[in-house]
């Protein structure tokens, strides 16, 4: 009978295949799809940021033929709602129920800190494509945790240096009260006060509230030389418009670049002249960035922003690491060794990773002119996060 003769034959193939896998040893390419979990905000004030990160990631994946480490990629998407209270359950679902090989996420620092805790415990590869929480590449740093973006401290520090150089002496800070705002304000104050600047008052409101009126009135009565702000996404759009509408444009507005990135069409004239520091700018006019911007605009009918770049670079980092492991996401040591010696060819300009796995990078000073964040200089060159508390 045909059926019965097939059974032993299939068995022989199975044994042979197993023997070949064993013989090929640790360098053997992994087969089957690579499962990537996208844990990002797809609703709420950071929804556009999550979507830009996904777009950027997919753009690079398309450029390399849809495979990472030789494996086709399958995505599992999870909306984290920028809610730290749900973060531990959410990442555990991706790891334990969906069996993802890698997690890419997220935007919000509070959510990212919870993700890093779980990634550190489970050893699952985690690439953070935005959230700047210090602990991710500080106290919670781990061989399997990497960031393609920035630390909050880096962006705040660079803005403080830039403001001090341009002359203001007395500043007020304003932000959402959570890790990102606290750490950016911390970095800002460190640099600004080191150069003789004085901070009159730190103003804040809970994330993601946008009732700015009382705080803007307080700024008007404090009459500082300049204001430093961190807001992002929908909240940044409203803050910059409310600041102008409150008649405060005579007090120069500075911020980390998130204040005006991906938001300029919605902010319009209110954003003109706002000065920010960030590891990306529009119109860098390098061949690398021009090619990226053209490809992104073609694929999505949208202009890219810093979040798109960070998503794109998360995919580049995964591609580099998984190439070194033959597609095996469990070979964390080889994955990390490849990334620590890599020069990542980012649209922002090439960067390397610190030993804590955070980008060491230039931060541009940018000024809003028309509908772009125009680079007007380098705020900090090759700035590395201090990685406080990281022991690897
Ligand atoms: C953060 O929570 O770390 C965060 C969120 C949005 C940004 C930047 C940082 O644009």
């Amino acid at each position: 009978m045909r059926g019965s003769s097939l059974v032993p034959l299939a068995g022989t193939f199975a044994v042979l295949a197993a023997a070949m896998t064993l013989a090929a040893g640790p360098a053997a390419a992994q087969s089957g799809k690579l499962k990537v979990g996208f844990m990002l905000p797809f609703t709420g004030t950071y929804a556009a940021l999550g979507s830009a990160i996904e777009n950027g990631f997919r753009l690079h994946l398309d450029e390399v033929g849809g495979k990472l480490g030789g494996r086709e990629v399958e995505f599992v998407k999870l909306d984290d709602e920028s809610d730290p209270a749900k973060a531990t359950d959410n990442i555990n679902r991706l790891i334990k129920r969906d069996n993802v090989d890698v997690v890419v996420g997220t935007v919000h620092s509070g959510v990212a800190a919870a993700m890093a805790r779980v990634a550190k415990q489970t050893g699952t590869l985690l690439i953070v494509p935005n959230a700047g929480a210090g602990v991710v590449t500080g106290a919670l740093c781990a061989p399997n945790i990497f960031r393609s973006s920035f630390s909050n401290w880096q962006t705040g520090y660079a803005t403080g240096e830039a403001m001090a150089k341009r002359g203001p002496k007395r500043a007020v800070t304003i932000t959402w009260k959570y890790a990102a705002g606290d750490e950016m304000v911390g970095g800002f104050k460190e640099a600004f006060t080191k150069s003789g600047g004085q901070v009159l008052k730190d103003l804040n409101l809970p994330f993601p509230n946008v009732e700015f009126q009382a705080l803007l009135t307080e700024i008007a009565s404090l009459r500082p030389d300049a204001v430093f702000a961190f807001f992002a996404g929908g909240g940044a759009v409203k803050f910059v418009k409310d600041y102008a509408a409150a008649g405060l444009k005579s007090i120069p507005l500075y911020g980390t670049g998130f204040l005006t990135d991906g938001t300029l069409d919605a902010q319009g004239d209110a954003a003109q002249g706002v000065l920010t520091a960030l590891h990306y700018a529009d119109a860098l006019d390098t061949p690398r960035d021009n090619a990226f911007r053209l490809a992104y605009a073609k694929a999505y009918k949208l202009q890219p922003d810093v979040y798109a770049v960070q998503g794109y670079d998360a995919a580049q980092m995964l591609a580099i690491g998984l190439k070194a492991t033959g597609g095996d996401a469990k070979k964390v040591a080889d994955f990390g060794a490849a990334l620590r010696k890599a020069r990542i060819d980012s649209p922002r300009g090439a960067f390397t990773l610190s030993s804590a796995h955070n980008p060491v990078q230039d931060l541009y000073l940018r000024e809003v002119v028309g509908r772009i964040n125009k680079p007007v200089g380098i705020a900090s060159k090759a700035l590395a996060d201090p990685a406080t508390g990281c022991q690897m």
Side-chain angles (χ1 to χ4, degrees):
M1 298 268 295
R2 283 221 306 247
S4 59
S5 68
L6 269 179
V7 173
L9 206 57
T12 311
F13 277 132
V15 171
L16 258 177
M20 281 165 70
T21 308
L22 280 177
Q30 292 287 301
S31 57
K33 287 194 172 172
L34 180 85
K35 263 194 170 182
V36 174
F38 270 145
M39 183 162 157
L40 292 167
F42 294 111
T43 54
T45 201
Y46 288 161
L49 288 58
S51 150
I53 288 167
E54 177 177 0
N55 288 346
F57 190 100
R58 288 183 187 270
L59 180 64
H60 183 66
L61 187 61
D62 284 349
E63 286 175 359
V64 295
K67 289 187 178 181
L68 293 171
R71 297 168 74 181
E72 299 278 349
V73 177
E74 179 186 335
F75 292 103
V76 182
K77 281 175 63 168
L78 190 156
D79 178 8
D80 67 33
E81 305 167 57
S82 296
D83 186 350
K86 297 182 184 162
T88 302
D89 284 349
N90 278 337
I91 187 169
N92 273 322
R93 255 169 52 207
L94 284 175
I95 295 171
K96 293 181 182 148
R97 183 193 69 186
D98 301 323
N99 277 310
V100 300
D101 296 290
V102 183
V103 178
V104 175
T106 191
V107 168
H108 184 287
S109 272
V111 178
M115 294 171 74
R117 233 165 256 127
V118 173
K120 194 175 166 85
Q121 281 159 11
T122 58
T124 311
L125 272 187
L126 171 64
I127 316 261
V128 179
N130 183 73
V135 289
V136 168
T137 54
L140 292 174
C141 78
N144 56 309
I145 299 176
F146 301 84
R147 186 151 49 197
S148 66
S149 51
F150 59 89
S151 76
N152 293 324
W153 177 89
Q154 277 178 312
T155 60
Y157 189 89
T159 312
E161 279 195 306
M163 191 195 283
K165 270 198 201 120
R166 290 177 75 99
K169 292 274 178 286
R170 297 158 60 255
V172 166
T173 74
I174 180 166
T175 189
W176 280 313
K177 184 82 201 137
Y178 82 102
D182 292 347
E183 292 172 4
M184 288 183 206
V185 166
F188 166 78
K189 284 165 108 167
E190 186 183 332
F192 187 60
T193 57
K194 199 164 17 186
S195 303
Q198 182 196 354
V199 173
L200 303 179
K201 190 151 190 189
D202 296 316
L203 302 173
N204 46 62
L205 70 172
F207 174 85
N209 290 9
V210 290
E211 286 81 40
F212 300 119
Q213 214 47 56
L215 299 173
L216 293 172
T217 304
E218 200 170 345
I219 291 173
S221 68
L222 287 164
R223 305 217 58 75
D225 300 334
V227 168
F228 168 84
F230 162 67
F231 295 102
V237 171
K238 177 138 192 309
F239 178 77
V240 169
K241 289 174 92 168
D242 286 4
Y243 191 89
L248 290 175
K249 288 283 277 185
S250 58
I251 304 176
L253 178 58
Y254 286 71
T256 48
F258 314 108
L259 192 62
T260 56
D261 228 85
T263 55
L264 289 177
D265 287 342
Q267 288 163 334
D269 289 347
Q272 296 310 299
V274 175
L275 290 157
T276 62
L278 201 65
H279 47 289
Y280 189 58
D282 304 312
L284 286 176
D285 201 20
T286 58
R288 180 70 181 96
D289 189 47
N290 290 345
F292 165 75
R293 294 184 75 92
L294 193 64
Y296 192 92
K298 247 173 112 174
Y300 303 110
K301 315 284 175 261
L302 283 171
Q303 289 303 311
D305 54 22
V306 70
Y307 310 104
V309 170
Q310 293 167 172
Y312 184 87
D313 292 339
Q316 292 209 78
M317 286 165 60
L318 258 184
I320 292 167
L322 289 173
K323 185 172 177 204
T325 69
D328 189 340
K330 296 224 156 22
K331 297 214 175 91
V332 165
D334 295 344
F335 185 98
L339 274 178
R340 282 188 298 273
K341 62 173 197 262
R343 206 169 157 271
I344 295 139
D345 187 19
S346 173
R348 75 187 84 171
F351 68 87
T352 55
L353 290 179
S354 67
S355 55
H357 299 167
N358 189 64
V360 178
Q361 56 195 342
D362 296 345
L363 282 98
Y364 304 96
L365 176 64
R366 310 116 42 93
E367 178 173 0
V368 177
V369 180
R371 292 291 180 268
I372 67 163
N373 286 290
K374 188 177 166 194
V376 294
I378 300 280
S380 296
K381 185 104 195 118
L383 187 63
D385 181 81
T388 309
C390 172
Q391 279 177 336
M392 234 181 312

